[in-house]
Amino acid sequence: MKTLFITLPSMLLTSVTLASTPTAEIIVKGIVSVPSCTVAAEDGQRFDLGQISLSTLQADVVTKALTINCSAETYMLFSAVDNRAGTATASSNTSFGFGTHNEEKIGTYQVKIDNAMVDGVDKKLAFDTDSSGSFTPSQEQWLDTRPNAFIGWSDTSNTLSVGKTFTADLSVHPSFARLEAAAENIDLNGSFTMNFRFGI
């Protein structure tokens, strides 16, 4: 019986030192800016209904252009607050009060917003009553006194428009209570605040 011997050459296992791989730090910079916006309506936000006869208690609708200019593109929403809350003679969510005269409520006005545009392009007006982000768009909306009711400029349902210049028309629609004959003039003292929300 023959025995076969196979001799293997010895191998030395050593760690191999690799050349260091180059690295580069990449910087991504920018500024997330909060846009600033200015709001203006014609005649300094004043809606003058003129002189109203106590015998007829009728007044024309007064319309003013509303313009919001922003420094950067944004979306736009607003809510409305009746600064004479509790003085409207109607009880709907769209009724604003004129104040009182001799503790008597003078009447009610409603405010319609329509002819919405963003950067000169026709848009719709979106309405949301529960801050869910689910908007109902239409050509016009009535300002709502509820604190969770928002109106914005919209392309389609659930999509707010983005732009730098937002415009629309505001129309005041007045109606008056049957007031007792007065010996002096009655000053209308209606006032509401539009609280705007916008962001990048």
Side-chain angles (χ1 to χ4, degrees), residues 35-38 68-76 163-166 198:
S36 60
C37 298
T38 58
I68 304 102
N69 286 310
C70 299
S71 60
E73 287 193 336
T74 182
Y75 62 82
M76 187 66 59
K164 296 177 71 174
T165 301
F166 299 80
F198 55 90

Side-chain angles (χ1 to χ4, degrees), residues 130-190:
D130 57 9
S131 300
S132 66
S134 179
F135 296 98
T136 302
S138 66
Q139 295 300 119
E140 62 184 34
Q141 296 287 349
W142 294 91
L143 271 60
D144 196 302
T145 59
R146 288 174 289 181
N148 58 346
F150 288 91
I151 296 174
W153 284 252
S154 174
D155 292 312
T156 59
S157 180
N158 298 325
T159 304
L160 293 174
S161 298
V162 175
K164 296 177 71 174
T165 301
F166 299 80
T167 60
D169 288 338
L170 290 177
S171 301
V172 170
H173 297 246
S175 62
F176 300 95
R178 276 290 151 198
L179 300 168
E180 297 294 333
E184 69 277 354
N185 291 335
I186 299 173
D187 291 326
L188 303 181
N189 193 26

Side-chain angles (χ1 to χ4, degrees), residues 39-49 62-67:
V39 182
E42 294 178 80
D43 299 329
Q45 289 90 258
R46 297 180 66 88
F47 290 78
D48 190 350
L49 299 179
V62 177
T63 301
K64 302 287 184 184
L66 174 71
T67 302

Side-chain angles (χ1 to χ4, degrees), residues 13-83:
L13 299 178
T14 60
S15 62
V16 178
T17 302
L18 300 176
S20 60
T21 56
T23 62
E25 180 183 5
I26 307 300
I27 306 297
V28 180
K29 296 187 70 175
I31 297 174
V32 178
S33 62
V34 178
S36 60
C37 298
T38 58
V39 182
E42 294 178 80
D43 299 329
Q45 289 90 258
R46 297 180 66 88
F47 290 78
D48 190 350
L49 299 179
Q51 187 168 339
I52 301 160
S53 171
L54 186 62
S55 61
T56 62
L57 290 175
Q58 292 183 351
D60 293 332
V61 173
V62 177
T63 301
K64 302 287 184 184
L66 174 71
T67 302
I68 304 102
N69 286 310
C70 299
S71 60
E73 287 193 336
T74 182
Y75 62 82
M76 187 66 59
L77 288 168
F78 71 87
S79 60
V81 178
D82 185 3
N83 297 328

